[in-house]
Amino acid sequence: MRLAELSERSGVSTATIKYYLREGLLAPGRQINARTAEYDEDHLRRLRLVRAMIQIGRLPVATVREVLGHVDDDSLPRTIRMGAAMWALPQVAEPDEEDEHVRSAHEAADQLLESLGWSNAQALVSISPAYRSLVVAMAALRRIGIDWDAQLLVAYARLMHQAAVLDLDFLERHPSEAEKVETAVLGAILVDPMLQSLHRLAQEEESARRYGFGDQQ
């Protein structure tokens, strides 16, 4: 397809596509002559990913370039490649390790992973942003006097594992390694908010089922 068709099918203006090409976010098309290039379905797929990261995820171009670098790094095994791409997305700040609540949250998070038998996750705690986010959230709860029930956390974690199985089953439908990693990145930007919304809707549904809509006490 030519640039005009790529623009029409993607919904991205030709000027924006040219900008992405200049910034290295989109691979050059196959040159037909000095003024014309031809693009394919891979360009369309990548363009949709870039558009999601920039326009929906509000990521700066430098971050998008870093994420794409990991997406395209076929020297890495799939787990590391996917992790590197996901970890390049914006993450929470490093917690204050001198904070007593952070220290106790670390202990609780480690005990949680151990009780779940998540040995692979345990091996990554020193570098995983997800583990860091868990510790930050648990520390914040403890700081305001809420010590979340450990057994409840285990139940939630097991539900999340079921979601992770569905996630990776969906990734397996895509033929190439790059497409699998791209889908994981899109999931972080688009699917995570969708799942959070479903969680809220489920809470509303269950609340109405239990308590109704009236002023009952």
Side-chain angles (χ1 to χ4, degrees), residues 76-191:
L76 298 173
R78 183 184 302 171
T79 297
I80 302 302
R81 187 175 180 178
M82 193 179 303
M86 299 290 283
W87 297 347
L89 296 171
Q91 308 291 343
V92 299
E94 291 283 351
D96 179 7
E97 299 296 340
E98 299 301 316
D99 187 320
E100 63 176 307
H101 301 293
V102 170
R103 291 197 299 270
S104 65
H106 270 297
E107 293 176 6
D110 292 343
Q111 290 171 4
L112 173 65
L113 296 180
E114 184 174 359
S115 67
L116 291 164
W118 289 5
S119 57
N120 294 311
Q122 287 176 290
L124 296 172
V125 295
S126 64
I127 57 174
S128 171
Y131 174 82
R132 186 166 68 240
S133 295
L134 176 63
V135 168
V136 167
M138 293 174 73
L141 284 170
R142 288 162 184 253
R143 197 170 289 114
I144 60 175
I146 300 175
D147 191 4
W148 202 265
D149 181 78
Q151 289 306 115
L152 184 59
L153 269 180
V154 168
Y156 273 115
R158 287 177 175 154
L159 288 174
M160 292 303 99
H161 186 262
Q162 293 178 39
V165 170
L166 293 174
D167 292 339
L168 296 182
D169 285 348
F170 180 70
L171 293 187
E172 291 299 329
R173 300 181 191 178
H174 298 80
S176 72
E177 291 297 318
E179 286 178 79
K180 289 178 173 64
V181 183
E182 286 178 355
T183 302
V185 173
L186 278 174
I189 296 170
L190 301 176
V191 179

